[in-house]
Amino acid sequence: MLIAGKCHCGNISLELDWKPAPTTIRARACDCSFCTKHGGVWTSCPGGSLSVMVNDLSLVSKYAFGTKTAVFHICRSCGVVPVVTSELDGRLYAVVSVNALELPASLPVERGPASFEGETMEARLARRKRTWIGDVDYRG
């Protein structure tokens, strides 16, 4: 199932090919300080693929904090964070903001809390490889 998404102004757009087609979108409300302040609620489908297209790269800020292993892509024009990436072993992985997706009304979103406090670096990176989208094409 192809699912489109974008930041508010459209500078950063997404096309998520969710495989297999979902009956529910599971979303994680991360409790880290950045996601809490921005209302970050993330989703991913490890079997799918993601294309990220940036119209004007000069209007994208990249922010990494804490372990500096995840990069938040922030549109400087509208302030939306539609995607987070992590480069692991030469491969780009990503999660997308469920709020940036243009989901059909018939596809329910199941939001739940997520806490990664106390997770070791090794466990964190292994979890991303296992649960984030591993087929990412980022064009900017």
Side-chain angles (χ1 to χ4, degrees):
M1 167 184 249
L2 284 177
I3 302 171
K6 63 183 179 180
C7 64
H8 191 258
C9 71
N11 184 51
I12 304 171
S13 59
L14 313 168
E15 186 172 84
L16 176 57
D17 189 1
W18 197 296
K19 292 179 184 174
T23 55
T24 301
I25 298 289
R26 294 186 57 142
R28 302 173 296 280
C30 179
D31 69 352
C32 79
S33 59
F34 186 81
C35 290
T36 298
K37 289 183 182 291
H38 285 272
V41 182
W42 311 101
T43 193
S44 61
C45 58
S49 61
L50 176 67
S51 292
V52 180
M53 291 78 55
V54 178
N55 292 326
D56 185 347
L57 201 52
S58 72
L59 293 177
V60 177
S61 286
K62 295 181 180 181
Y63 180 65
F65 68 99
T67 64
K68 305 224 184 289
T69 58
V71 177
F72 293 79
H73 300 259
I74 306 163
C75 180
R76 292 175 48 199
S77 179
C78 66
V80 172
V81 183
V83 64
V84 180
T85 60
S86 184
E87 188 172 334
L88 305 168
D89 298 327
R91 184 174 183 178
L92 195 60
Y93 291 80
V95 291
V96 297
S97 168
V98 73
N99 298 319
L101 295 177
E102 297 165 1
L103 297 169
S106 61
L107 189 57
V109 175
E110 181 182 300
R111 296 172 191 244
S115 181
F116 307 110
E117 188 68 31
E119 189 175 48
T120 67
M121 179 72 75
E122 183 178 281
R124 179 171 303 212
L125 301 181
R127 174 183 47 79
R128 288 182 187 158
K129 285 182 181 179
R130 198 176 55 254
T131 63
W132 285 27
I133 304 161
D135 183 1
V136 179
D137 178 24
Y138 190 102
R139 289 178 254 149

